[in-house]
Amino acid sequence: MNTWQGPIEQIDDYRFRIPTSYMDQMRVSGLIYANLEMMEYIKNDSTPIQVANVACLPGIVKYSIAMPDIHWGYGFSIGGVGATEIAKGGVISPGGVGSDINCGVRLLRTNLTLFDIKDRLPALVDGLFRNVPSGVGSCGSIKLSPKDTAGVLHTGTQWAVNHGYGIPEDILYTEEHGQLPFADPEQISQRALDRGHNQLGTLGSGNHFLEIQVVDEVFDPEIASVFGLKEQQITVMIHTGSRGLGYQVCEDYLRSMGDASRKYGIYLPDRQLACAPVDSPEGKGYLGAMACASNYAWANRQCIMHLTRGVFERILKLSDREIGMQLVYDVAHNIAKIEKHIIDGKETNLCVHRKGATRAFPAKHPDIPEKYKAVGQPVIVPGDMGRASYVLVGTQLGMNEAFGTACHGAGRIMSRTRATKEAKGRSIARELADQGIIVRSSGRETLAEEMPEAYKDVNVVVNILHQAGIAKKVAKIRPLGVVKG
Amino acid sequence: MVMDNTQDITPIPKRFDFFEHTADIGIIAYGNTMEEAFANIACGMFALLTEPDNITPKKSMDIEVTGYNQDELLVNYLSELLYHCSTKEMLFNKITILELTPTLIKAKAYGEKYTSGKHQLLQEIKTVTYHQLKIEDTGCGWEIRVIFDV
């Protein structure tokens, strides 16, 4: 891994710029949200090169942006944001979305407090571990017929709710109502369908998780109350994506986008930035396939939420009304969207890539739920399993500066191999238990790979965005029980 | 009594090594020929997924893949094997390369279906990447480097 040797200009305490002078092909400058200490780490990770590479994409506007949880990824870094102007030949790149299309998080609130579940916590974690399939290649009890599959790909959350996995209200509190409109199942390969037919309602492995949590600290009581959150309240967080179907779509299109880049004569500083104009047949093809995989992911998280509700009712022997498990919000953090933003004073249609970055729209934006219009969109930021997760809210400054985007998590700091080595001879489960956190995991190595030290401190990441004004802190949530893949 | 047999043991040439990379993991595979390196990189990939010694090579599968160039061919070939793993639950630990050109590969992959209890799945590979991908004649054999998105 090369250390960054290029220029970095400090704009203020939390903003750094990579000037276009770094590389001839850069069309815009790079903008990294970080503090001085974080910047040192970022330079050693060579991610600024990736930020500069993205700045070369045809049609890119304003800046190639990196969030403070940035770390190295394929093509785009994780934590990378790039928006291209469609009318000016702007491109869409599978490398700007990632392998796990619409990987995302949803946060559920309950009427319960820590006091209510304290004694039942081990049983709840066991119940979730047994009832929500997790681990490598996990397959679920929901088997999709070809007709069902088409329904999932077309209508995402709507399909799930129509088939009894949830209530209509859940749809309202899901980004895009859990259904991207331009889904085109014709663009999905048989291979992707094969990989997706038995994975709905499964968590998968790696950093995906299902967590029982408690609201630890509220920073903005007014906004927290609009989101239905208060201190000591029990919440549940679900982090997963489109599983094998999404990986296959990424692979299929990385392959065909290689040809398309050659066809359109697009300069690629990195093969993994293969792309095509959004308006080309290849671009539309990927957009249609990506939308299908996104809808699959929303249906997946919706089904897992339904399974979670069932587990809570059975274990606690309480009714759904008593538990009151409701969706605060569901956000996608690996996705490309067609959105309107103001560029040079004019409303412009952009293709916004958010790879390891979360949409964070401000108050009054038409795309956020009515109930949240006065305060802004909830941004769910999962941390590692030992520290904390956050709820933020989108701001107008974030809208103007970063296409209405915030970070997506803590950001990995240690390779999986290194983490496994560092954890040798330690019991991560025991260490977490000592902090009062119960963990269950399917994979032998998962807990070591996912140990808290493998990640940046989410508190620092979130503070950078809060201080920069890109998103504001609403509440901090701490883990109580974790199911890992 | 301890016997010193070291004289009689011919060292088995190393087929592959793992190396770490930020969030992910890479494999470097070796071979006297490019074919051998292509076979070994696939075996290395399955060693990431499960313990290769627990796989009995009792079933075979024909693989035929094309690519625009050698790099694409390599990625497409590994992706093909992963696809059979994720949809047909096949685990392979022996590969015979039948034909290899810069744009075409024909191979026979030997292994068996995943059996819970016999095989433990260690991790999931999301995709095979092009990052720092290398197919190289080092002068004393071939080396292939691939990084996997895990």
Side-chain angles (χ1 to χ4, degrees), chain A residues 107 109 213-233 235 237 328 377-383 387-394 458-459 462-463 466 471-478:
Chain A
L107 179 69
R109 63 170 174 268
Q213 316 163 311
V214 60
V215 178
D216 205 32
E217 194 177 349
V218 167
F219 305 99
D220 190 323
E222 204 175 307
I223 298 181
S225 120
V226 175
F227 294 164
L229 296 173
K230 54 176 191 256
E231 278 175 23
Q232 294 302 303
Q233 178 184 19
T235 58
M237 195 176 275
V328 175
Q377 179 210 308
V379 180
I380 320 291
V381 181
R387 290 192 189 107
S389 295
Y390 277 86
V391 179
L392 313 179
V393 68
V458 69
N459 299 300
V462 159
N463 274 330
H466 180 81
K472 289 282 170 195
K473 292 197 288 187
V474 176
K476 182 178 174 179
I477 300 172
R478 103 184 126 80

Side-chain angles (χ1 to χ4, degrees), chain A residues 33 35 38 67-70 381 390 392 407-411 456-467:
Chain A
Y33 294 104
N35 59 19
M38 188 79 81
M67 290 294 153
D69 51 338
I70 183 180
V381 181
Y390 277 86
L392 313 179
C407 61
H408 88 305
K456 292 184 195 176
D457 184 345
V458 69
N459 299 300
V460 176
V461 168
V462 159
N463 274 330
I464 291 170
L465 286 187
H466 180 81
Q467 300 289 351

Side-chain angles (χ1 to χ4, degrees), chain A residues 423-469:
Chain A
K424 241 192 188 112
R426 290 167 54 183
S427 165
I428 302 298
R430 171 67 58 81
E431 289 175 23
L432 289 167
D434 289 345
Q435 296 174 48
I437 303 166
I438 302 171
V439 213
R440 297 275 182 279
S441 159
S442 310
R444 200 171 58 182
E445 309 277 1
T446 308
L447 290 186
E449 289 175 358
E450 293 295 315
M451 66 177 179
E453 301 100 293
Y455 286 90
K456 292 184 195 176
D457 184 345
V458 69
N459 299 300
V460 176
V461 168
V462 159
N463 274 330
I464 291 170
L465 286 187
H466 180 81
Q467 300 289 351

Side-chain angles (χ1 to χ4, degrees), chain B:
Chain B
M1 195 174 74
V2 179
M3 300 250 298
D4 182 6
N5 289 334
T6 45
Q7 300 283 310
D8 303 331
I9 297 172
T10 320
I12 300 168
K14 210 188 238 179
R15 299 201 297 159
F16 53 82
D17 278 318
F18 298 125
F19 62 91
E20 64 175 282
H21 179 265
T22 320
D24 296 318
I25 192 158
I27 300 174
I28 178 160
Y30 314 97
N32 289 319
T33 60
M34 200 201 285
E35 284 80 358
E36 211 173 291
F38 261 74
N40 288 342
I41 190 87
C43 292
M45 180 175 77
F46 279 94
L48 271 182
L49 297 175
T50 190
E51 189 55 62
D53 292 344
N54 294 340
I55 305 173
T56 316
K58 58 185 181 191
K59 270 178 94 173
S60 76
M61 192 172 260
D62 292 316
I63 306 289
E64 186 175 335
V65 180
T66 58
Y68 175 79
N69 55 32
Q70 196 107 56
D71 287 1
E72 272 196 23
L73 183 71
L74 174 64
V75 169
N76 293 352
Y77 152 74
L78 294 174
S79 304
E80 178 80 10
L81 292 166
L82 276 184
Y83 165 74
H84 292 301
C85 173
S86 62
T87 55
K88 303 188 179 96
E89 299 186 322
M90 284 298 294
L91 298 169
F92 303 108
N93 66 349
K94 189 182 160 207
I95 312 277
T96 310
I97 308 291
L98 306 172
E99 191 182 338
L100 181 61
T101 75
T103 56
L104 170 82
I105 184 166
K106 287 184 184 174
K108 229 175 183 36
Y110 299 87
E112 65 177 320
K113 208 174 153 160
Y114 164 78
T115 311
S116 152
K118 179 174 180 186
H119 306 117
Q120 194 185 8
L121 295 178
L122 303 173
Q123 61 188 328
E124 192 165 54
I125 295 178
K126 289 180 186 158
T127 52
V128 184
T129 82
Y130 285 93
H131 185 68
Q132 294 169 354
L133 182 136
K134 217 184 252 174
I135 305 173
E136 197 178 26
D137 183 358
T138 61
C140 47
W142 284 81
E143 271 185 26
I144 297 180
R145 282 170 64 99
V146 177
I147 295 171
F148 297 89
D149 184 359
V150 295

Side-chain angles (χ1 to χ4, degrees), chain A residues 10 40 45 50 74 83 141 145 173 190 222 286 317 321 343 350-351 412 415 440 461:
Chain A
Q10 184 162 3
E40 284 314 303
D45 186 37
Q50 299 200 305
Y74 298 98
S141 54
S145 69
Y173 296 100
Q190 188 55 47
E222 204 175 307
Y286 174 66
K317 299 190 173 64
R321 181 176 286 243
I343 302 294
L350 302 180
C351 175
R412 191 167 263 284
S415 78
R440 297 275 182 279
V461 168

Side-chain angles (χ1 to χ4, degrees), chain A residues 209-383:
Chain A
F209 66 74
L210 175 50
E211 206 170 270
I212 302 172
Q213 316 163 311
V214 60
V215 178
D216 205 32
E217 194 177 349
V218 167
F219 305 99
D220 190 323
E222 204 175 307
I223 298 181
S225 120
V226 175
F227 294 164
L229 296 173
K230 54 176 191 256
E231 278 175 23
Q232 294 302 303
Q233 178 184 19
I234 296 298
T235 58
V236 174
M237 195 176 275
I238 299 167
H239 178 204
T240 186
S242 50
R243 313 280 293 108
L245 182 131
Y247 309 160
Q248 188 67 42
V249 169
C250 176
E251 187 191 310
D252 291 342
Y253 281 87
L254 210 52
R255 197 180 295 193
S256 64
M257 285 293 194
D259 296 332
S261 305
R262 285 186 281 267
K263 178 176 156 190
Y264 295 104
I266 297 170
Y267 164 76
L268 294 180
D270 175 347
R271 168 70 175 76
Q272 307 250 139
L273 286 175
C275 56
V278 182
D279 247 346
S280 66
E282 294 86 350
K284 284 180 185 149
Y286 174 66
L287 206 55
M290 185 214 66
C292 290
S294 300
N295 293 347
Y296 184 98
W298 273 311
N300 188 30
R301 291 196 286 276
Q302 180 63 37
C303 291
I304 292 175
M305 175 177 174
H306 176 75
L307 295 171
T308 303
R309 280 176 169 147
V311 168
F312 269 67
E313 285 163 30
R314 284 197 299 278
I315 305 272
L316 299 176
K317 299 190 173 64
L318 292 171
S319 69
D320 57 348
R321 181 176 286 243
E322 286 166 308
I323 295 170
M325 192 177 278
Q326 288 175 321
L327 185 53
V328 175
Y329 207 54
D330 177 301
V331 292
H333 57 222
N334 272 3
I335 202 161
K337 294 276 201 63
I338 308 300
E339 292 173 1
K340 288 189 192 330
H341 289 268
I342 306 293
I343 302 294
D344 298 330
K346 273 202 322 237
E347 195 177 71
T348 311
N349 256 338
L350 302 180
C351 175
V352 185
H353 299 79
R354 294 190 181 93
K355 182 183 185 183
T358 313
R359 195 188 76 176
F361 281 171
K364 301 193 186 84
H365 195 286
D367 290 350
I368 61 178
E370 216 38 61
K371 198 172 136 195
Y372 301 152
K373 279 252 161 76
V375 295
Q377 179 210 308
V379 180
I380 320 291
V381 181

